[in-house]
Amino acid sequence: MSADRPGLHTVTRGRGLLFGGDYNPEQWPEHVWAEDAALMRAAGVNLVTVGVFSWGRLEPSPGERDFAWLDRVLDLMHDAGVAVDLATPTASPPPWMGHRWPETLPVDENGTTLYYGARNQWCPSSPVYREKSLEITTALAERYAGHPAVAMWHVGNEYGQVCYCDLTAANFRRWLQAKYHDISALNDAWGTTFWSQHYSGWDEIIPPRTAPYIVNPSQKLDWARFCSDALLAQFTAERDVLRAYSPGTPVTTNYMGFFKPVDYWSWAPEQDVISNDWYPDPTDPRFPVRAALTHDLMRSLAGGTPWMLMEQSTGAVNWRPHNLPKPAGQLRLESLQAVARGADGSCYFQWRQSSFGAERFHSSMVPLAGPDTAAHAEVREHGRELRKLKDVAGTAVSAQVALLHDWHSWWAAEERARPSDRLSVIEQLTDYYHPLWRRGVTADLARPSSALTPYRLVIAPDLFLLSETDAAALTEYVRNGGVLVVGPFSGVADPRGHLYTGRFPAPLREVLGVSGEAWRPVDQPVQCSWRDETGFNGPGFTARDWTETLRSDGADVIATFDDGGPAVTRHRFGAGIAWYVGTIPDAAALAELTERFLADAGVPGTDLPEGVEAVRRGDLLFLLNHGDGTASVAFEGDAVDVLTGAPLHNGATLAPRGVAILRQHAGTGTTAPATR
Ligand code: GLA
């Protein structure tokens, strides 16, 4: 994201919130297209993504081009007043590519080639793939730059390919040479004296292919970095072609939330628009919480500016073993949740359900049964509602709390052969986010190296890998008055993946005022006790999976393990406070602790009924009921529900899966809602 580049506002300008989906007209005879356009107009669709998987149709054989059909689609969309997010079709090369140039096909870590017949079968390091993908991108850009329908460019789809082939090995070596210059520096960084892994020359280096036993964790860490960079190079190559032909049109590619293989912090500055695909698992009881967390990540990647939900499903997906449809109202609830958290667009995969191919059982905006269906009626109704929220586009969501999440740390933390594989970076993040969500406290996501001074509270649930520089910045943050919370097994490794020596967490010992000598995973839950006079409820709490042998070096001990050793500590440091939590407390204890974190930071929480989410965007308060029962939310004074126009006094009642979006009257209703 760069201030001098066109952003999402160039797409929302004059349109308001974006609503639509992936449109794949090549799957249908042309007479259906006219009906599509009419239905889109009726549903308030104002943006469709076209061409994501059209390479075979645009270039049926190498060098042969057929764009006439796409000309007609773009003209039709323009005439219907529907803007187009035009995609480069490079996520799925046609069979001719793999057949003629088998070296473009990816190879897995076992040396198995992944063939065509599905999608995504390309190697990020293949020069032929790069050349052919840029040729088709150039042809599209030449032809459609300036087309009045094209409001945004969409590069590829859900980048995530990993390849272990020989071309990739050569590319990996080049990447390593640029990083280390000298093979001895690489040997040091990878600790190759261990198990006799010393490299005598660059040519010996290979990707971490399947090996007899545990592969060097520092090699794997660099490999993860390389793979993310190699994909980014493909993205930026296509992006640069589009920018050259179409400088005034923003470029995006769709992310996949907390997707481990790609470091979105390093990708975000390269994009004009942050967009995401979100397919929650309805059987996961915490999916609304994960949704909120993921949306907050997207807003944070966008630097606090609006982002867009590029794909979600109207009902069931088809790729889980057992695919549950969404109950009535769920589509609207999930979409408005994204809008509440900063999305300026809420789009779907896909417009019209496919009757053939691998996704024929995936729900769509127009189901196979046609427009005269409950499913399509819900889509149309939601489009109508989004039009009422036109003015929400461009407004901001602000946060006083930041959660730290770093891809490099995530990669390093979950390598094989660690004390316990029960410590999960994303679960830890979700555990610490959940009580904030319950209390209506909005949080941003940030990296340890981000500017943290705007935040009153910074929570690092799991920062296994932490550079000394970033640790020093966190220390300064607290010294200057910030409140920091650090979760277990943090500050353990340096950026090479080498463990810091001495008592842990070495680079954070000063600020935390606590140090440890041993990590002690446990099989059964353990009992922890609140220290007297700390004011916590009851005698103690249970914790699971993980304990540490800690010693206070100045911090107050808040809770102890059953051997009397510290489990939770709080340290006044400079003008701020630093907490350390050396275990995985149960949810109730973490909720109680979160109250203290918020109190220390002076960040107010809100009383909300179970399952109700509250978030402010601009001057609106979004109340979202994820529960199956009716919920009452109280607030002081008068408000109006901007969706219904209903005046409200001192409270709102939310139906199951209901949403209220309140504009509170100045001077009367500015206080946070409270449970009745
Ligand atoms: C992803 C892809 C789409 C489609 C959907 C199905 O988001 O980008 O092409 O496969 O999943 O849920």
Side-chain angles (χ1 to χ4, degrees), residues 22 24 52-53 119 154 156-158 254-256 276-279 310-313 316-319 349-350 359 362-363:
D22 280 26
N24 298 306
V52 181
F53 295 108
R119 66 177 179 187
H154 182 296
N157 192 58
E158 297 190 331
N254 44 345
Y255 291 166
M256 289 182 278
N276 192 45
D277 298 349
W278 175 246
Y279 294 96
M310 183 63 82
E311 288 183 31
Q312 60 196 310
S313 66
V317 300
N318 70 315
W319 41 264
F349 175 84
Q350 60 178 332
E359 295 182 321
H362 197 290
S363 62

Side-chain angles (χ1 to χ4, degrees), residues 278 291-292 295-296 299 307-309 312 332-347 397 613 615 617 622 624:
W278 175 246
H295 300 338
D296 287 349
R299 185 186 64 251
W307 57 283
M308 76 173 278
L309 187 51
Q312 60 196 310
R332 167 182 187 253
L333 173 65
E334 290 182 18
S335 172
L336 292 175
Q337 184 187 24
V339 172
R341 295 190 175 271
D344 269 6
S346 182
C347 294
V397 176
E613 174 175 345
V615 54
R617 180 168 183 193
F622 286 68
L624 306 126

Side-chain angles (χ1 to χ4, degrees), residues 254-339:
N254 44 345
Y255 291 166
M256 289 182 278
F258 286 92
F259 179 67
K260 197 170 177 185
V262 177
D263 172 13
Y264 291 145
W265 289 123
S266 70
W267 280 56
E270 305 293 342
Q271 294 200 205
D272 300 330
V273 170
I274 299 299
S275 64
N276 192 45
D277 298 349
W278 175 246
Y279 294 96
D281 178 353
T283 63
D284 172 0
R286 290 213 287 189
F287 82 81
V289 182
R290 292 185 202 279
L293 174 61
T294 307
H295 300 338
D296 287 349
L297 173 67
M298 293 304 140
R299 185 186 64 251
S300 306
L301 288 165
T305 65
W307 57 283
M308 76 173 278
L309 187 51
M310 183 63 82
E311 288 183 31
Q312 60 196 310
S313 66
T314 55
V317 300
N318 70 315
W319 41 264
R320 292 195 175 99
H322 186 62
N323 296 295
L324 301 177
K326 292 186 181 177
Q330 188 67 23
L331 171 157
R332 167 182 187 253
L333 173 65
E334 290 182 18
S335 172
L336 292 175
Q337 184 187 24
V339 172

Side-chain angles (χ1 to χ4, degrees), residues 639-648:
V640 63
D641 184 335
V642 299
L643 291 176
T644 59
L648 297 166

Side-chain angles (χ1 to χ4, degrees), residues 183-184 186-199 216 218 498:
I183 193 79
S184 66
L186 176 139
N187 277 305
D188 287 347
W190 286 11
T192 56
T193 50
F194 189 80
W195 284 350
S196 184
Q197 290 170 353
H198 176 85
Y199 291 94
N216 183 321
S218 297
H498 294 204

